[in-house]
Amino acid sequence: MINVDDLGWKDLGFMGSTYYETPNIDALSKEGLVFNNAYAGAANCAPSRACLISGLNTPRHGVFTVSPSDRGNIKTRKLVPIKNTKHLNNTIYTLPEMLKSAGYITASFGKWHVGDNPLKQGIDFNIGGSSKGNPGKGGYFSPYNIDFIKNGPKGEYLTDRLTNEAISFVEKFKDSTFFVYLPYYTVHTPIMGKEKLVEKFKNKKGFKGQNNPKYAAMVASMDENIGKLLTSIKANNLENNTLVIFTSDNGGIRAISHQDPLRAGKGSYYEGGIRVPLIIKWPDSIVPNTFTNQNASNLDFYPTLQNIVQPEKRATLLDGLDLNSVLKGEQIIDRDIFFHFPVYLQAYKKGKDESRDPLFRTRPGSVIISGNWKLHHYFEDDAIELYNLKDDISEKNNITDLHPKITNELYEKLEYWRFKTNAPIPSEKNPSYSLKFEKNKISNINKTDL
C-alpha cells in the first residue's frame, strides 16, 4: 500500500499532467484498475490517515485535523471549534492488527502520523514513522530529522532510503505473507528535490499551474522509487499474488500545484482537497488496463482487505465499502460518501486556495457525495451548497435553488449520518470574534494577494 503525502489528483502523467514525469506509475495504471472517482477520508494528513488505518470515519475516532483545531486568527472564527483528538486511540483495532490476525508480517516505511510509535498499533517493523507529519527543515537529505531511522551517508535522499528499506524487507520475507505500508513523506513540504532533477525541470515548460521544478523533481524521485519496488516484487516472483494499492492521503497544495479543473486544494472539502488518484493492481483478480467510475474512499481499503485475507479476528464496525465486487469488474455500487470537519483550517497562502474565503481553507462543516451530487453544509452561517459533479466538477455553480428536492434529500441523509455517528457539531459562539476585524482582514488580502 503506497500512500503518497499531498500528491494531487492531477500530478501524474496518466491523470493528465504534461509537466510531471511518472512513467512507472503510468505503467502501473495500465496493469491495474484506475478509479476515476476516488477520495481521501479527509482533506488533510492526520484525519485521512486515521480513517485509512482505522477504517472509521472522523466522528468515530475524533481525529479531525492536524492538532490543534483552533487554527487561524481567533478574531475571524465565529464558533468555538470541537476539540481535536491528536492520535488514534490504541484501543482501536487497526488495519495492520487485522492483517496480523490473518498471519501477515507488517511493516511501515515512512510517515505514520496517527500515533507516537506504529509498533503499538499493529506494525512489526518500522522505519521513520512516528507522530511527525513532515521531515522538517532540510529533512529530505541525510542527516534526517525524523524518528526511528539511522542516518545514511550525507546527502542520501529520504525517498530513496525508505524504498530501499522496503525492498530489503520484501526480499527478507518473500516466503511469508507480508503487508508493506509505504507512506512516503514526499511530496509534503519542504519542497526539496535532487539537484540534477531540479535542473532538468527548470528547462521544461510548465502548464496551467504545474511549473515548480523542485516539486516536479520530488514527483520524479517518487515515481522512480515506486518503479524500483515494483521491479523487486517481480524479480522475487511475487507479482502474481501481490495486491498493490497506490494513492494519496489528500489533495495537493494549490499554491504549489494546480489540479484544474478541481477547485481548491489540500485542507478544503471542495474536490481539489479530497479527490485523489487511486490504482489497485491484483493480477489474479483484476483485469489490467481498466477503469471504474465507482465512488471510492480510503475508508474502503480496510473492509476490502479484511474480506480478502479472512482474519481470525475481524473488525465488526467499519465505515467503508467492500470493493471486491468492483475489483472483479461487476456493477457499480450505489453508496454515499461523508466528510465531517467541525474545526478550522487556516489558508495555506492567503487568497490563493479558491475556497469559500481567503482566510480559511475550510471552516466547520460537513459534506455528502451521493452519485453525481455533492452537498456542503457549513455551520457558521448554516449555508448549503449543492453541485452536480458530472456537469460542474469545478464546483462553480451552487444550484440549491434549482434543485430544492435534491437539496433536502441530501441534507436529510447528512443529518441522519451525523446522528448515527454521533458527529459533534460546534455551536458555542466565539466571544473573541470580530466582524469588523474579519472584513478588514479580507479587504487587505484582496488588495494585496488576489
Side-chain angles (χ1 to χ4, degrees), residues 261-304:
L262 305 188
R263 180 177 176 181
K266 175 184 178 180
S268 168
Y269 282 83
Y270 293 111
E271 291 293 287
I274 53 177
R275 192 179 279 240
V276 293
L278 174 60
I279 305 167
I280 301 181
K281 174 190 175 183
W282 192 15
D284 285 349
S285 298
I286 292 176
V287 177
N289 200 23
T290 53
F291 69 89
T292 177
N293 290 322
Q294 173 69 53
N295 281 357
S297 164
N298 73 9
L299 286 161
D300 301 336
F301 300 155
Y302 198 139
T304 301

Side-chain angles (χ1 to χ4, degrees), residues 312-385:
E312 183 177 330
K313 179 184 176 183
R314 298 176 65 91
T316 55
L317 175 63
L318 294 171
D319 286 319
L321 175 72
D322 176 8
L323 295 173
N324 274 286
S325 62
V326 178
L327 300 185
K328 295 170 184 176
E330 297 173 8
Q331 65 184 32
I332 300 293
I333 302 171
D334 185 22
R335 58 89 68 92
D336 300 328
I337 296 178
F338 298 92
F339 302 91
H340 187 64
F341 194 81
V343 297
Y344 287 87
L345 192 60
Q346 79 280 16
Y348 181 77
K349 283 192 175 181
K350 294 172 182 176
K352 303 294 185 182
D353 290 328
E354 290 196 350
S355 292
R356 293 187 80 219
D357 64 66
L359 298 181
F360 294 93
R361 278 178 276 174
T362 195
R363 296 180 185 249
S366 299
V367 169
I368 175 176
I369 297 174
S370 184
N372 293 320
W373 297 101
K374 182 178 180 183
L375 182 138
H376 299 245
H377 177 215
Y378 292 97
F379 303 139
E380 282 188 336
D381 51 5
D382 207 30
I384 299 290
E385 297 176 10

